[in-house]
Amino acid sequence: MDVPDTVTREEMRVVISELWKMVPHHRAELSPDYIWIRDIPEPWNTRFRKAHRGSTFTIMGTAYIRDWSKFLCLIRPSDPYW
């Protein structure tokens, strides 16, 4: 999913909403909900990994949904990860 160099706030909301829907959410019986990092499309996958380096990634390649949600809420076109 490409995003143009200049985007409006509304366009950003659409991009974030699409990303949220694109990445499947998984429920585990005794742990918080999670996503597979491999399901995050590029370039967002690389940016998410950079932004959350040293965070709650598991050896299995998953991340908590709360971390994915925080990332989506904080991304801005001016960020170095953009």
Side-chain angles (χ1 to χ4, degrees):
M1 173 185 307
D2 284 334
V3 178
D5 291 337
T6 57
V7 294
T8 66
R9 286 184 186 200
E10 185 56 35
E11 289 169 331
M12 232 10 247
R13 278 191 265 274
V14 169
V15 168
I16 291 168
S17 177
E18 287 178 15
L19 282 169
W20 180 257
K21 293 175 190 172
M22 288 175 84
V23 178
H25 303 165
H26 303 279
R27 190 169 292 267
E29 193 172 314
L30 299 174
S31 64
D33 295 350
Y34 65 95
I35 60 167
W36 286 100
I37 297 169
R38 68 176 180 241
D39 290 337
I40 301 171
E42 288 295 350
W44 308 104
N45 185 302
T46 299
R47 293 173 181 151
F48 181 69
R49 287 173 187 266
K50 285 180 181 178
H52 285 80
R53 188 169 288 143
S55 188
T56 54
F57 294 153
T58 69
I59 294 171
M60 295 177 9
T62 62
Y64 294 126
I65 285 181
R66 67 176 176 249
D67 292 334
W68 176 235
S69 177
K70 285 180 198 175
F71 173 77
L72 292 176
C73 289
L74 296 174
I75 57 175
R76 303 285 181 267
S78 59
D79 286 346
Y81 303 113
W82 188 254

